Amino acid sequence: MTEEHDHQTEHHLQEAIRHLSEAQDGDLRKTNAVALEEVSDTLSTVLREQDRDE
């Protein structure tokens, strides 16, 4: 992996953690679905980047 790829992966994972944290801090009934979708999108992006770099 390149240094740029590592930076992008770290950024995406930090975004996933931020989304989960926001869901925990808010009304979970309202934010849970949105947070899960954003985390799913973020993790999908990370996995696609890893596949592309291999």
Side-chain angles (χ1 to χ4, degrees):
M1 282 194 228
T2 67
E3 187 174 325
E4 175 63 24
H5 182 269
D6 289 344
H7 176 71
Q8 289 175 347
T9 300
E10 182 179 340
H11 172 74
H12 287 295
L13 293 175
Q14 287 174 347
E15 284 292 303
I17 291 169
R18 183 179 63 80
H19 292 310
L20 288 173
S21 179
E22 287 175 358
Q24 287 177 329
D25 291 342
D27 182 348
L28 288 178
R29 290 171 296 175
K30 292 180 182 176
T31 60
N32 190 41
V34 172
L36 288 175
E37 183 178 343
E38 290 177 347
V39 169
S40 176
D41 291 347
T42 299
L43 294 176
S44 294
T45 300
V46 169
L47 293 174
R48 279 193 307 271
E49 288 176 358
Q50 287 179 340
D51 285 343
R52 187 179 59 220
D53 288 345
E54 290 180 352

